[in-house]
Amino acid sequence: LLNSLAEGYLNMVVGDVKQSIYRWRNGDWKILGYQLNKDFSTWGIKELELNSNCRSDGVIISYNNELFSRLSKMLQISINSELDSVNIPQDKKALLQSMVETAYSTIKQQFSPKTASNKGYVSLQLVEGNEEKKGTEIALEKLPSLIADLQDRGYKPSDIAILVRRGIEGQQVADTLLSYKQQANDTIHSFDIISQDSLFIGNSSIVKLLVSIFRLVVNPSDRISEAYIQ
């Protein structure tokens, strides 16, 4: 960047401090949080904020604005209360004392002209585990009834997306819905799912059946393949 600037070129750095603070793809929030301004202050930096949301309906935008504004303040207060008992350099402490509020200072988004302010719906459920089951297990158990309820309200299966953080969680979701589909005998609702893993040919139920048949032909004593066929 310094070399490009020295040759008179315009440079753009695009990012979101709020996303990098979660460490997605090992992101470092400090780069956009303050380091960029510090390293390139002599060149002059012009900040442009893209604050119009063109993807979400109005109710969802308002919900996010209110939720993250409050949570960021609560988290900053919690961090500052613990900093009083920690022995760290003053400059680092000063940075941490405003870290979260700085990262979320531009959290509030504006409505796009295409977005109606009275549309959208948010339902938030906190699922906690207990001595018998983990929170993930309880959430997975709730999933089929939630999907059925959405379809009863008029949503098509193609309207529904399930977001997970790790691939293993996506596989758990797929296994849960497939198992429910086979056991519940529900002909009214659809529990078919398309995931990254389901697109692999090796995960096709037909391919698995054919492979099991071939294995049983080669080895008639293969009880696992026999059981799969049955």
Side-chain angles (χ1 to χ4, degrees):
L1 281 174
L2 287 172
N3 181 72
S4 178
L5 288 169
E7 294 185 10
Y9 291 104
L10 173 68
N11 293 267
M12 295 178 61
V13 177
V14 183
D16 188 344
V17 179
K18 298 182 296 298
Q19 290 293 326
S20 59
I21 205 170
Y22 295 119
R23 300 305 302 272
W24 295 105
R25 298 187 181 276
N26 205 34
D28 186 352
W29 72 272
K30 296 188 291 295
I31 295 174
L32 292 177
Y34 69 90
Q35 196 66 44
L36 196 67
N37 287 304
K38 179 181 178 181
D39 292 343
F40 296 93
S41 59
T42 57
W43 295 92
I45 295 178
K46 182 179 180 180
E47 295 187 28
L48 297 176
E49 179 187 345
L50 303 180
N51 60 359
S52 293
N53 188 323
C54 302
R55 297 183 300 174
S56 306
D57 283 325
V59 171
I60 297 175
I61 296 174
S62 298
Y63 172 83
N64 286 338
N65 288 345
E66 185 67 21
L67 176 69
F68 287 101
S69 293
R70 293 192 179 208
L71 288 181
S72 60
K73 292 178 181 178
M74 292 170 59
L75 180 57
Q76 189 64 74
I77 292 173
S78 175
I79 292 174
N80 291 349
S81 65
E82 295 190 21
L83 284 175
D84 295 335
S85 59
V86 178
N87 184 21
I88 58 175
Q90 189 59 39
D91 57 336
K92 290 186 177 180
K93 180 177 289 189
L95 175 63
L96 293 172
Q97 285 173 339
S98 60
M99 175 186 70
V100 178
E101 286 192 297
T102 298
Y104 285 87
S105 61
T106 60
I107 184 62
K108 291 194 174 182
Q109 297 179 321
Q110 304 298 321
F111 299 109
S112 165
K114 300 178 181 178
T115 304
S117 60
N118 61 342
K119 291 185 178 181
Y121 174 76
V122 176
S123 175
L124 181 64
Q125 299 181 34
L126 300 179
V127 180
E128 295 185 3
N130 51 46
E131 294 181 357
E132 298 179 356
K133 295 181 180 179
K134 296 180 180 179
T136 303
E137 296 178 74
I138 298 175
L140 288 171
E141 290 176 354
K142 293 175 176 288
L143 195 55
S145 61
L146 176 60
I147 291 178
D149 178 60
L150 290 172
Q151 293 182 42
D152 289 340
R153 297 189 195 186
Y155 292 97
K156 297 180 294 184
S158 58
D159 295 330
I160 303 171
I162 302 172
L163 303 181
V164 296
R165 181 164 188 172
R166 297 180 297 167
I168 185 63
E169 294 170 346
Q171 188 60 52
Q172 289 173 335
V173 169
D175 292 342
T176 297
L177 296 181
L178 179 60
S179 175
Y180 183 84
K181 177 183 176 181
Q182 294 173 340
Q183 298 176 11
N185 195 27
D186 185 343
T187 58
I188 300 176
H189 307 102
S190 173
F191 298 95
D192 295 328
I193 184 170
I194 296 177
S195 66
Q196 181 178 354
D197 292 335
S198 68
L199 297 177
F200 289 115
I201 190 171
N203 291 331
S204 169
S205 58
I206 297 176
V207 172
K208 289 181 178 180
L209 176 61
L210 291 174
V211 170
S212 296
I213 293 174
F214 291 145
R215 285 176 175 169
L216 191 61
V217 169
V218 173
N219 181 15
S221 62
D222 187 346
R223 300 306 178 196
I224 295 178
S225 295
E226 182 181 357
Y228 187 87
I229 295 171
Q230 293 175 350

